[in-house]
């Protein structure tokens, strides 16, 4: 038996012999010699292991016929799997427009081009083209942000968590920050208000209760003295409880009341909006969301919000407000650690420019375009795609067009829903229903452009609100088994 194994092992082609194969040569041209040699070694090692295993189990190993083509095929499969990028395009048919796990806001072409140019070529990132001296990277977006929000000054960092962190660390390091117990929220699992306050080196002073917080609750903390006339509190923080709603017996002071109280005690009022919309969403029939403009008008000294939530831009944290405070933020060494890179800065500038023409915004800004898509249009799309989906699912499922409701996502407006339409796939037989659902979800996920939907009420739902590439979606359904 050992003799037979030895004969088979020595019948394996050598690495050099395989490297002569024309298809291996092609692989070298595509992937480079080093990777091909390394992969071929692994393929041969796998083959040897298989032969030994078959010999010890006293079974028969696969025949040595067509051995070379089979090894070459194994090489090609390994290389193809390795060459596939880890980060790939998907179809977000979850019904959540700003889906944190699926990349949040989609950039308009203007922003994509601006980012690509900034990345590929030298640019005046920190260079003053007029005077010829050193420039400041915030200048590329500051005047646009001031114009759009009415703020005196603006600065941008890596994300909104970074913006809140920088503001607190700059204004209140080592001191107290009163926050309402109703606003100690967690957003997306990793941003938790108490933890960010502690990480910024500040002491959280919880005030009020979960459902009701009064002005006097803040006042009690603001009246405490640290010594030498200085208050213990260094800023009042308001956090927009964006991803949940407290309803019923509730109370909280208005922004204007909080600002007035903070100013009476000579501390800034900082408002973290999370998802700052720069337009009144009600104009498009969408649920209203507090805007940075409103917060500033009510007296907030600094307002922080994300670039890639309702704003519809790249990941960024935006701070707008008083010039004196924004300048203090810029001087904090952490600003450098949190700064925004040139690609996203260029993309943000391009997105902000679209806001200068609000009338065309809903066509040009993908986030707003998807949020304002008409249910009738989505339903018509579902009707056109239902037959192809039925073909893809086979007889085990009934495919129907069903009404559903989309969410804005990313912590916005959790209680408000947008009427939409979905392809709904229900298993025909009740038996093994869950297994069928899971296998359909998995086969959608392994398509060339993975399709991500959701399982609800014993069916797979694909909310078509965010499907704009109808042809691309339909084509891969037809090609698949
Ligand atoms: C989303 C959100 C954050 C975090 O913003 P990122 O841009 O995700 O870092 C902070 N605060 C609030 C209120 C939010 O909604």
């Amino acid at each position: 038996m050992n003799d037979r194994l030895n004969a088979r092992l020595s019948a394996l082609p050598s690495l050099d012999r395989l490297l002569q194969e024309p298809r291996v040569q092609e692989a070298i041209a595509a992937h480079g010699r080093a990777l091909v040699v390394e992969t071929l070694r692994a393929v041969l090692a796998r083959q040897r292991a298989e032969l030994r295993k078959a010999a010890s189990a006293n079974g028969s190993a696969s025949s040595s016929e067509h051995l070379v083509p089979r090894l070459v095929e194994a090489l090609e499969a390994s290389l193809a799997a390795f060459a596939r990028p880890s980060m790939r395009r998907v179809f977000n048919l979850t019904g959540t427009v700003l889906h944190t796990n699926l990349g949040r806001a989609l950039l308009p072409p203007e922003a994509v081009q601006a980012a690509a140019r900034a990345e590929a070529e030298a640019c005046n990132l920190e260079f003053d083209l007029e005077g010829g001296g050193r420039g400041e990277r915030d200048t590329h977006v500051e005047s646009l942000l001031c114009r759009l929000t009415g703020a005196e000054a603006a600065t941008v960092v890596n994300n909104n968590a970074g913006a809140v962190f920088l503001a607190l660390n700059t204004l209140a390091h080592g001191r107290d920050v009163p926050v309402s117990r109703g606003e100690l929220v967690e957003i997306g699992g990793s941003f938790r208000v108490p933890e960010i306050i502690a990480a910024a080196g500040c002491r959280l002073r919880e005030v009020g209760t979960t459902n009701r917080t009064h002005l006097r609750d803040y006042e009690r903390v603001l009246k405490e003295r640290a010594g030498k006339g200085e208050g213990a509190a260094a800023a009042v923080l308001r956090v927009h409880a964006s991803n949940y709603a407290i309803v019923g017996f509730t109370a909280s002071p208005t922004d204007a009341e909080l600002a007035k109280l903070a100013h009476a005690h000579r501390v800034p009022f900082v408002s973290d909006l999370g998802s700052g919309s720069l337009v009144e969403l009600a104009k498009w029939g969408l649920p209203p969301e507090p805007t940075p403009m409103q917060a500033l008008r009510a007296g907030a000294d600094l307002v922080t919000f994300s670039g890639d939530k309702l704003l519809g831009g790249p990941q960024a944290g935006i701070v707008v407000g008083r010039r004196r405070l924004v300048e203090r933020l810029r001087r904090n060494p952490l600003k450098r650690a949190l700064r925004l890179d040139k690609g996203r800065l260029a993309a943000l500038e391009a997105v902000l420019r679209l806001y200068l023409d609000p009338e065309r915004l809903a066509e040009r800004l993908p986030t707003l375009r998807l949020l304002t898509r008409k249910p009738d249009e989505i339903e018509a799309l579902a009707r056109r795609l239902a037959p192809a989906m039925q073909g893809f699912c086979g007889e085990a499922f009934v495919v129907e067009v069903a009404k559903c409701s989309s969410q804005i996502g990313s912590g916005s407006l959790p209680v408000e829903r947008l009427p939409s339409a979905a392809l709904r796939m229900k298993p025909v037989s009740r038996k093994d229903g869950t297994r069928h659902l899971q296998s359909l979800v998995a086969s959608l996920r392994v398509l060339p452009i993975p399709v991500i939907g959701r399982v609800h009420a014993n069916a797979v739902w694909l909310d078509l609100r965010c499907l704009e590439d109808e042809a691309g979606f339909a084509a891969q359904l037809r090609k698949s088994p």
Side-chain angles (χ1 to χ4, degrees), residues 127-140:
F127 185 77
D128 172 14
L129 286 174
E130 272 172 33
R134 196 179 184 289
E136 156 67 53
R137 55 175 81 196
D138 283 345
T139 52
H140 303 292

Side-chain angles (χ1 to χ4, degrees), residues 62-126:
S62 46
S63 86
S64 58
E65 227 181 308
H66 306 306
L67 187 56
V68 170
R70 275 197 289 120
L71 292 172
V72 172
E73 259 159 44
L75 167 76
E76 288 169 342
S78 275
L79 288 171
F82 187 70
R84 200 172 64 179
S86 166
M87 212 191 303
R88 289 157 61 202
R89 177 186 173 197
V90 302
F91 283 114
N92 170 14
L93 305 187
T94 59
T96 300
V97 177
L98 295 167
H99 196 299
T100 295
N101 304 142
L102 301 179
R104 284 199 193 163
L106 313 177
L107 292 182
E110 292 85 348
V112 173
Q113 280 150 22
R117 256 196 315 273
E119 297 287 1
E121 285 150 22
C123 62
N124 61 333
L125 177 64
E126 291 179 1

Side-chain angles (χ1 to χ4, degrees), residues 104 158-162 164 185 187 191 193 239-243 272-275 304-309 315-317 410-412:
R104 284 199 193 163
N158 178 60
N159 60 5
N160 187 40
V164 176
V185 296
I187 288 146
F191 181 91
V193 172
V239 182
H240 181 47
S242 40
N243 56 0
D272 173 25
L273 285 186
S275 196
T304 62
F305 53 100
S306 281
D308 56 347
K309 290 188 181 172
Q315 182 193 302
S410 270
S412 317

Side-chain angles (χ1 to χ4, degrees), residues 187-259:
I187 288 146
S190 49
F191 181 91
R192 308 179 91 193
V193 172
E195 289 171 12
I196 208 98
I197 292 174
C202 312
R203 270 190 310 272
L204 166 64
R205 294 294 306 272
E206 299 183 16
V207 302
T209 63
T210 305
N211 58 326
R212 288 172 72 83
T213 300
H214 306 285
L215 211 52
R216 61 175 183 273
D217 297 319
Y218 289 94
E219 198 168 12
R220 205 169 302 132
V221 173
L222 286 168
K223 276 186 171 158
E224 288 175 18
R225 296 281 121 200
K228 280 205 191 138
E230 192 183 50
V236 171
L237 176 67
R238 161 152 278 178
V239 182
H240 181 47
S242 40
N243 56 0
Y244 85 124
I246 297 182
V247 291
F249 187 53
T250 63
S252 63
T254 63
D255 278 357
E257 288 166 342
L258 263 187

